[in-house]
Amino acid sequence: MEKNSKRVYNFNAGPAALPLTALQKAQEELLDFNGTGMSVMELSHRSKDYEAVHNRAIELLKELLAIPAGYEVLFLQGGASLQFAMVPLNFLPTGKKAGYVMTGVWSEKAYAEAEQLGEIFVAASAKEGNYRRIPAVEELKYNADAAYLHITSNNTIYGTAWQDFPDTGTVPLIADMSSDILSKPFDVSKFALIYAGAQKNLGPSGVTVVIIRRDLLEQANKKVPTMLRYGTYAKDNSLYNTPPTFSIYMIKLMLEWVKEQGGAAAIYKQNQQKAALIYDVIDDINGFYIGHAQPDARSLMNITFRLANEDLEKKFLDTAKKLGFVGLAGHRSAGGCRASVYNAVPYESCQALRELMLAFQKENA
Ligand code: PMP
């Protein structure tokens, strides 16, 4: 159980809560990492001490995500947003078309970026009805010669998530997993490329994790600037230039915590229990809290709900704020309320939110 009286109930959508033990370890090692007399921030990225951190973070990602042989794990900068451009720059050649499944604002952004760089099409969309659902596998429309199919595994703003991933055969499946990577076990081998900004489920901001299948890497467009080529990172173990060393170090600490919890399967169980605390209130007192996502498309990571009107929502958010809850307002493009309950959000925070929701309903029904 994580207790520290100064810590708030952090439901931020990202950057988000980190495990208390990881923060404490960073604090402990801040002035003297591993007997170097320096913090990790002050080490050369070419030093043995840093290299060990870097390689351990990669090794833990491979282990915890059960990444099969034949994949590279890369650390990039530029956020998931740069991936919206890097994917088509590298993998959308002239004469081919790439399909995008539209499930929210982040898919729209990925689409808009790719549209400037090559030929793309909408393979399916859940826009009608304001992104409350995920298209069924049968709705996906693409040809076998598509350059790739792009999906957003979890929709941070609308609070929906793919429950099962499609089998796309020979068409490379590419996923933005920024808001649910490592929240549950899944089959990496279905994907040709996965990318995720680290600042929700893996660590702090400043680093983007890319998992890429080597055969795809080999097909990449060579006429792309050096820093925008996946090959540059793969060739030099993400050490072609200076990587975001401290962010990668924090990933390592967070992954050590995930491993201590029992890995992806144990984290999944915790995530299900945490989300159920809140979804049960939405369902049990149906009508007071109105869930946005269709129940069969619910995200375990971002729980989105509305109250009867904006005044009541404001009162709820003001009450929450006074009681030490942070980050419960919905994204500016969607409004309402959103509780982001990523891997490191403690069970106790979810329990506290549940109690707040129940008490607020009693007083305001
Ligand atoms: N994709 C998804 C699913 C996201 O939630 C976000 C950020 N909230 C992004 C992409 C953009 O990430 P970044 O800020 O790292 O560019």
Side-chain angles (χ1 to χ4, degrees):
M1 180 148 138
E2 298 198 357
K3 266 219 158 90
N4 183 315
S5 58
K6 281 192 207 148
R7 305 270 301 159
V8 293
Y9 298 122
N10 186 352
F11 292 96
N12 277 334
L18 287 165
L20 186 60
T21 54
L23 293 171
Q24 285 167 335
K25 183 85 175 160
Q27 185 178 44
E28 204 180 288
E29 295 182 332
L30 193 66
L31 300 185
D32 180 14
F33 174 73
N34 204 23
T36 57
M38 295 177 264
S39 71
V40 169
M41 281 182 278
E42 299 164 293
L43 294 176
S44 162
H45 62 293
R46 306 283 174 209
S47 65
K48 278 208 171 63
D49 287 289
Y50 173 70
E51 206 176 37
V53 168
H54 189 93
N55 289 338
R56 183 65 182 144
I58 293 172
E59 193 177 87
L60 281 164
L61 278 165
K62 286 188 174 165
E63 177 187 330
L64 295 166
L65 289 165
I67 300 175
Y71 285 80
E72 300 282 350
V73 174
L74 314 176
F75 295 130
L76 278 71
Q77 297 186 59
S81 300
L82 184 61
Q83 295 307 301
F84 298 161
M86 272 181 75
V87 165
L89 276 173
N90 283 266
F91 302 119
L92 182 49
T94 315
K96 283 226 172 198
K97 290 185 183 180
Y100 280 73
V101 183
M102 311 306 282
T103 52
V105 168
W106 298 110
S107 327
E108 287 178 0
K109 290 203 169 168
Y111 182 95
E113 198 75 347
E115 200 177 23
Q116 303 184 55
L117 298 164
E119 270 197 82
I120 59 171
F121 62 94
V122 172
S125 175
K127 189 171 178 125
E128 204 183 298
N130 201 18
Y131 294 122
R132 313 171 91 85
R133 64 180 201 103
I134 296 291
V137 171
E138 307 80 66
E139 290 175 56
L140 305 182
K141 289 201 172 56
Y142 56 95
N143 292 334
D145 65 350
Y148 59 80
L149 185 75
H150 179 280
I151 66 168
T152 313
S153 60
N154 183 82
N155 301 289
T156 325
I157 293 173
Y158 294 97
T160 59
W162 289 75
Q163 313 293 312
D164 291 303
F165 296 119
D167 267 312
T168 52
T170 54
V171 175
L173 181 61
I174 295 185
D176 174 0
M177 291 201 182
S178 294
S179 50
D180 71 343
I181 192 163
L182 195 54
S183 64
K184 61 179 176 187
F186 70 95
D187 184 2
V188 173
S189 73
K190 282 192 164 179
F191 298 88
L193 190 156
I194 293 165
Y195 61 88
Q199 65 269 23
K200 302 169 196 300
N201 261 336
L202 298 177
S205 61
V207 56
T208 306
V209 171
V210 170
I211 301 163
I212 185 167
R213 212 170 55 209
R214 250 175 242 131
D215 67 325
L216 184 73
L217 200 52
E218 281 152 19
Q219 296 162 28
N221 181 358
K222 306 272 184 301
K223 290 196 172 163
V224 171
T226 310
M227 292 304 289
L228 300 177
R229 283 201 299 265
Y230 292 102
T232 301
Y233 300 83
K235 187 165 164 283
D236 285 323
N237 192 29
S238 305
L239 283 160
Y240 169 78
N241 75 328
T242 318
T245 52
F246 197 75
S247 298
I248 293 168
Y249 162 70
M250 288 305 301
I251 287 190
K252 172 192 161 279
L253 294 183
M254 169 127 186
L255 294 179
E256 281 168 350
W257 171 83
V258 170
K259 192 171 154 82
E260 274 164 32
Q261 301 300 299
I267 285 285
Y268 181 38
K269 206 167 165 196
Q270 291 180 13
N271 285 335
Q272 285 174 306
Q273 287 166 347
K274 287 176 343 192
L277 285 172
I278 300 156
Y279 280 128
D280 286 353
V281 176
I282 292 173
D283 291 338
D284 290 350
I285 43 176
N286 199 2
F288 189 81
Y289 298 105
I290 307 144
H292 179 78
Q294 244 175 235
D296 64 356
R298 280 175 171 172
S299 162
L300 282 184
M301 299 284 98
N302 308 99
I303 303 176
T304 46
F305 59 92
R306 306 217 62 138
L307 281 80
N309 55 61
E310 285 183 10
D311 288 343
L312 199 57
E313 281 168 358
K314 187 175 180 312
K315 190 175 175 193
F316 175 75
L317 292 170
D318 287 344
T319 308
K321 195 172 169 189
K322 282 192 201 111
L323 294 170
F325 291 82
V326 171
L328 287 173
H331 187 270
R332 59 190 185 281
S333 64
C337 305
R338 169 177 60 174
S340 295
V341 289
Y342 300 122
N343 289 346
V345 173
Y347 185 85
E348 290 70 28
S349 294
C350 299
Q351 213 165 21
L353 176 56
R354 175 190 171 85
E355 280 156 25
L356 165 70
M357 288 171 80
L358 290 171
F360 187 83
Q361 186 265 341
K362 266 201 186 129
E363 281 165 30
N364 294 278

